[in-house]
Amino acid sequence: MINPFKSKKGLGRGLSSLIGDSDIKVSNDKISISSIVPNKNQPRKLFEKQALDELTNSIKERGIIQPLIVRKSDDYDNKFELIAGERRWQSAQSAGLHEVPVVIIEADNLKSLELAIIENVQRKDLNPIEEAESYKNLIDNFGYDHEKVSQFIGKSRSHISNSLRLLSLPEKLRDMVRNEKISQGHAKILIGLENSILLAEKIIKKSLSVRQTESLVRILKKGANRKNNPKDSNIIAAENELMNKIGMRVFLNNKKNNSGTLTFEYKGFDQLDRLINIIKNNY
């Protein structure tokens, strides 16, 4: 029998390598759409309604060109579990189809999950949180580590690690990423910050770019460091004494090696001129 995955390049190189170049048994068929049940390990949770409507219209006109990938269900008799092609399956139901073309394969839970992840990742159908949850599923339930996930997906180990770090965000923030209210770039900056949700709301309200968000967080961290490292009481006393003497704000920054800077803040040319004259007359 001709392996259907050898000629259908549209399924992607990842699916081909996992099915077409392996020992998994496959067969082509048409089955009742009602005999298909969703994949319990489907990594994709959100489906854009407009894209589904467009696909439904396309299926009504041309039918399903690319078959769905299914396996026999472990949970239901005479049913098939969907592995790849969730959007096509949903749209085919909306289009009123009674039968759909499928490729039936023999696959265990791990292989089913691998195929579902590969299809979605390579088509860029997963949002960043769904992608991270897919990798976590492989690690938690199938004994993968970061390196093995990296080799399997074909992305760098740092990409996998950075992706998984998104799952440390509060659930509210993860929902913002899922619903594309903030980008993955924004989310990475907010990881580990106590006020991350407030900052995310500010990002949305002000339409801040990733670069603007980086600057904002940098300023906030600098301010926090100042609060966490209060000045010595002697330095504060010296600042106040100078301020009372010359009538302008003074900032004294003394380093550990007793070097540092002395800054005068003047408001207007008259104050600057007076400060210059004080220095000239006394030194």
Side-chain angles (χ1 to χ4, degrees):
M1 171 185 171
I2 296 175
N3 190 325
F5 290 92
K6 295 293 187 180
S7 57
K8 289 181 171 57
K9 293 182 181 177
L11 288 171
R13 184 179 173 188
L15 289 177
S16 174
S17 64
L18 282 172
I19 298 177
D21 300 331
S22 73
D23 294 329
I24 294 178
K25 295 178 181 179
V26 299
S27 62
N28 267 337
D29 212 337
K30 264 198 169 188
I31 62 173
S32 167
I33 198 167
S34 61
S35 68
I36 300 174
V37 296
N39 183 348
K40 54 180 173 280
N41 285 316
Q42 168 60 249
R44 192 176 184 189
K45 304 294 187 294
L46 298 180
F47 296 86
E48 188 184 345
K49 186 179 183 304
Q50 183 179 347
L52 285 174
D53 290 343
E54 290 172 355
L55 184 54
T56 297
N57 292 332
S58 173
I59 288 173
K60 283 179 180 178
E61 291 183 16
R62 293 184 286 275
I64 295 183
I65 299 172
Q66 185 174 298
L68 285 60
I69 304 171
V70 299
R71 65 169 179 163
K72 286 186 178 180
S73 173
D74 292 333
D75 303 320
Y76 303 95
D77 293 333
N78 301 317
K79 295 282 186 180
F80 294 89
E81 183 180 278
L82 186 65
I83 293 177
E86 176 101 14
R87 288 177 66 251
R88 277 164 278 152
W89 179 56
Q90 290 189 26
S91 296
Q93 293 177 80
S94 299
L97 268 62
H98 299 293
E99 288 187 330
V100 288
V102 296
V103 173
I104 304 171
I105 70 171
E106 292 182 8
D108 58 18
N109 288 335
L110 172 57
K111 191 60 67 177
S112 173
L113 175 61
E114 287 177 338
L115 293 170
I117 291 174
I118 277 291
E119 182 192 46
N120 284 295
V121 168
Q122 293 202 344
R123 292 173 184 271
K124 294 182 170 54
D125 283 339
L126 298 179
N127 65 57
I129 299 300
E130 290 173 336
E131 182 180 347
E133 289 171 340
S134 299
Y135 301 154
K136 190 173 188 297
N137 195 350
L138 286 172
I139 291 168
D140 290 350
N141 299 318
F142 296 98
Y144 275 56
D145 57 21
H146 290 207
E147 183 63 33
K148 191 172 179 181
V149 175
S150 168
Q151 292 174 357
F152 165 65
I153 296 297
K155 293 180 181 286
S156 69
R157 182 167 178 171
S158 62
H159 172 87
I160 304 301
S161 298
N162 287 331
S163 177
L164 287 165
R165 288 179 67 228
L166 294 176
L167 299 181
S168 67
L169 292 167
E171 182 60 33
K172 187 173 181 179
L173 253 179
R174 280 180 270 165
D175 281 338
M176 290 179 183
V177 178
R178 285 190 188 100
N179 295 302
E180 298 182 345
K181 291 182 178 179
I182 62 172
S183 71
Q184 182 176 2
H186 289 113
K188 284 162 108 176
I189 299 168
L190 300 178
I191 291 171
L193 299 181
E194 291 183 4
N195 56 346
S196 57
I197 293 176
L198 289 175
L199 283 170
E201 290 170 348
K202 189 178 185 69
I203 290 167
I204 295 168
K205 185 177 179 180
K206 300 289 187 181
S207 299
L208 298 180
S209 67
V210 172
R211 183 169 292 182
Q212 288 171 326
T213 302
E214 286 176 337
S215 299
L216 174 62
V217 169
R218 200 178 299 120
I219 292 169
L220 292 174
K221 283 183 176 179
K222 193 176 290 184
N225 288 336
R226 283 176 183 164
K227 288 180 182 178
N228 293 332
N229 297 291
K231 285 186 177 179
D232 183 272
S233 59
N234 292 325
I235 291 178
I236 294 174
E239 287 178 338
N240 290 334
E241 187 177 353
L242 283 170
M243 187 164 52
N244 292 332
K245 286 278 187 184
I246 62 176
M248 60 186 72
R249 291 188 70 186
V250 177
F251 302 94
L252 176 58
N253 180 26
N254 187 59
K255 299 178 183 178
K256 289 182 179 179
N257 61 358
N258 288 325
S259 65
T261 57
L262 180 61
T263 306
F264 298 90
E265 185 179 279
Y266 60 88
K267 296 180 179 178
F269 184 76
D270 289 343
Q271 280 193 337
L272 175 60
D273 190 49
R274 183 158 59 87
L275 178 61
I276 292 172
N277 285 329
I278 289 172
I279 294 173
K280 281 181 177 180
N281 293 334
N282 289 278
Y283 294 98

